Amino acid sequence: MPKPIVAIVGRPNVGKSTLLNRLIGARDAVVEETPGITRDRVYGEVEWRGRAFDVVDTGGLGMAEDDPFGADIQQQAELAIEEADLVLLLVDARDGLLPLDEELAELFRRAHRPLLLVANKADNDRREASTPEFLALGLGDVHAVSAHSGRGVGDLLDAVVDRLPPATEEPEEEDRIRIAIVGRPNVGKSSLLNALLDDERVIVSPVAGTTRDAVDVPFEFGEHRFRLIDTAGIRRPGKVQSIEYYCVLRAQRAIERSDIGILVVDAHYGMVHGDSRVGGLLDDAGRGSVIFVNKWDLVSGRTPSEFGQSVRATAPFLDYATIVVGSATRRRGLKELLEACVDAANNHALRLPTAEINQCLREAVERRPYSRRGRELKLYYATQVSVKPPTFVLFVNDPEVAHRSYVRYLSNQLRARYGLQGTPIRLRIRKRKRSSGRK
């Protein structure tokens, strides 16, 4: 059974994202003094008193009518309320009781959802002493906290755990394959997430940059369990404005905590430099990669093979990535995409027998001996030291002899023997240490 969900809701700019960051002990939500920064539902995991639950941040309820995303934000917040086991309604101790707070209180009284009323920004005794005015909302006790400083948050967590439904057993989270959906803005990442989930879980808009935070969603495909991470579109640093700068950081951090990245490419434009740059972030982080060519239904006169050749030419460092063509809006290619992700994840976590590694690499050296500056490279021993990605250490006579082109040759020999489709591999060259024992 899934973990309980606690939704943080309230009017704009009362500190919902700051509270989420405080609860999960990290800065996963974009925090800035501008109403409407958080648009989608943003999930994080909390453990308190031995009880684990998911907490979800939402956009502000009661957005201004002229906000272009106001209706969508309202819908996302309402979806979060519907799926939540407990709602934290935030009010602002600094602003005091406002008419919009009273409107939201009436909304929740009709919804009959388990709720805790939380007065945020109670940074000192004076502000905490003013919070009883919120009792007029008729929603029970007021929990005074300061999300910024942490004041009162422990007591709030105690109250949250006391109100959660009874605990149920859940499979270990490590069983899930963590997949980050990444790419340039407006290539269809959120549409792909919604298609995979068959649910309007995130806001989809033709306006570039709609998704700002990373959005984590558990998901199952057959016997395989995933955690999908939709991210903000990544642009060149020079084109990133204040808010978007933080979105890029969140997207990069989403890559860091993923196993596999789905690089979404717009079939109409082909593989452009921006796509290559995002793919480079995946490769640098050592994550498995699958390239999903979206909007393929709008392309004519090109075959998947021809497109694949152009991808390889633009991003040769992703030659290990499986390429899948399809359409998120028409739900085409999704089964093939998920199967490619499973294969990539299996290869990403693959551990090879040491004897086989040494046999493969020694045969490769025998077929193509290598020398540089008058010195021959001698391979003494090789071993795999880690997975995700598969990483190997090669002990040789002189690491400076091993040019990167020859290291790439050895890497390709491992791929030729074991496949390793969808995952980068790392070869580290080390000098063999001589024994210091006396003869």
Side-chain angles (χ1 to χ4, degrees):
M1 296 293 292
K3 293 188 294 296
I5 294 177
V6 177
I8 304 174
V9 299
R11 59 182 176 81
N13 214 28
V14 293
K16 296 182 295 296
S17 295
T18 304
L19 180 59
L20 179 137
N21 287 341
R22 172 64 62 178
L23 294 178
I24 66 177
R27 294 186 178 273
D28 281 346
V30 177
V31 179
E32 189 163 315
E33 291 297 324
T34 304
I37 297 301
T38 299
R39 290 171 174 171
D40 297 319
R41 288 167 285 170
V42 183
Y43 292 77
E45 184 176 347
V46 178
E47 184 171 345
W48 188 258
R49 284 170 33 193
R51 188 73 193 275
F53 57 93
D54 287 331
V55 61
V56 53
D57 181 21
T58 65
L61 292 169
M63 294 292 295
E65 294 182 359
D66 58 351
D67 188 287
F69 295 99
D72 287 326
I73 294 171
Q74 184 85 6
Q75 181 185 35
Q76 292 299 307
E78 291 173 356
L79 286 171
I81 294 168
E82 288 177 9
E83 70 179 351
D85 297 285
L86 178 66
V87 173
L88 303 183
L89 175 59
L90 251 64
V91 292
D92 191 324
R94 182 175 58 190
D95 293 344
L97 182 60
L98 298 181
L100 183 52
D101 296 322
E102 296 175 345
E103 293 177 19
L104 295 178
E106 178 61 26
L107 170 68
F108 284 105
R109 277 195 293 269
R110 292 197 304 266
H112 301 291
R113 305 297 297 168
L115 180 144
L116 292 177
L117 180 61
V118 182
N120 190 28
K121 305 181 185 179
D123 304 297
N124 51 50
D125 293 340
R126 180 179 58 81
R127 283 188 182 169
E128 183 174 347
S130 69
T131 59
E133 70 171 314
F134 293 103
L135 292 171
L137 295 175
L139 297 175
D141 294 338
V142 182
H143 300 269
V145 304
S146 169
H148 179 73
S149 68
R151 178 184 174 118
V153 171
D155 292 337
L156 173 62
L157 283 168
D158 285 338
V160 168
V161 171
D162 290 341
R163 292 290 300 275
L164 291 178
T168 56
E169 286 210 15
E170 181 192 21
E172 289 293 326
E173 183 57 35
E174 286 72 16
D175 293 339
R176 291 193 184 275
I177 300 171
R178 295 168 297 175
I179 300 178
I181 303 176
V182 298
R184 295 184 298 109
N186 212 31
V187 293
K189 299 184 300 299
S190 294
S191 295
L192 176 59
L193 177 64
N194 287 339
L196 290 172
L197 297 173
D198 193 22
D199 175 32
E200 292 300 321
R201 183 59 65 93
V202 297
I203 299 169
V204 179
S205 167
V207 180
T210 301
T211 299
R212 286 176 171 167
D213 296 296
V215 181
D216 290 25
V217 187
F219 171 66
E220 296 181 7
F221 169 65
E223 61 181 10
H224 304 289
R225 304 172 70 244
F226 301 95
R227 180 171 289 275
L228 296 176
I229 308 169
D230 182 32
T231 61
I234 301 175
R235 299 177 178 176
R236 292 203 307 274
K239 292 189 175 182
V240 176
Q241 298 175 352
S242 172
I243 295 171
E244 292 180 343
Y245 170 77
Y246 293 102
C247 300
V248 171
L249 293 182
R250 300 302 182 268
Q252 290 173 328
R253 290 177 60 192
I255 290 173
E256 291 293 336
R257 57 193 175 89
S258 68
D259 300 309
I260 305 297
I262 297 176
L263 174 59
V264 184
V265 176
D266 190 325
H268 177 74
Y269 296 100
M271 187 79 166
V272 299
H273 177 72
D275 301 315
S276 177
R277 176 178 178 269
V278 178
L281 294 175
L282 285 168
D283 185 65
D284 291 343
R287 302 304 181 252
S289 296
V290 177
I291 299 173
F292 183 66
V293 184
N294 193 27
K295 309 177 187 180
W296 187 253
D297 54 313
L298 304 179
V299 173
S300 60
R302 299 187 73 179
T303 67
S305 177
E306 291 172 341
F307 194 94
Q309 292 176 3
S310 68
V311 169
R312 304 302 186 203
T314 305
F317 52 86
L318 287 179
D319 58 355
Y320 55 83
T322 302
I323 300 175
V324 178
V325 301
S327 169
T329 56
R330 294 182 179 272
R331 302 182 57 80
R332 294 177 180 172
L334 303 185
K335 181 174 181 292
E336 294 80 0
L337 174 62
L338 290 174
E339 289 173 346
C341 288
V342 171
D343 288 342
N346 289 336
N347 290 329
H348 195 236
L350 183 64
R351 187 173 291 277
L352 301 175
T354 300
E356 294 185 13
I357 297 169
N358 282 274
Q359 180 182 0
C360 174
L361 293 177
R362 282 170 180 159
E363 291 176 356
V365 172
E366 290 174 2
R367 284 192 301 269
R368 183 178 161 186
Y370 184 77
S371 61
R372 186 182 180 201
R373 297 175 181 172
R375 296 206 65 189
E376 181 181 0
L377 179 69
K378 295 181 180 180
L379 173 63
Y380 297 119
Y381 183 73
T383 186
Q384 184 175 357
V385 295
S386 64
V387 297
K388 297 186 177 183
T391 302
F392 307 87
V393 173
L394 282 57
F395 295 96
V396 302
N397 59 327
D398 186 354
E400 294 184 3
V401 176
H403 190 270
R404 62 177 178 270
S405 62
Y406 193 72
V407 175
R408 186 163 53 248
Y409 159 73
L410 296 176
S411 175
N412 289 337
Q413 298 309 299
L414 286 172
R415 287 194 183 281
R417 176 74 64 90
Y418 299 105
L420 298 172
Q421 187 72 18
T423 180
I425 62 177
R426 301 285 191 255
L427 268 62
R428 312 298 186 200
I429 310 299
R430 300 286 185 267
K431 183 178 179 62
R432 184 182 69 170
K433 294 182 179 180
R434 295 184 179 275
S435 174
S436 59
R438 294 183 178 180
K439 293 185 178 180

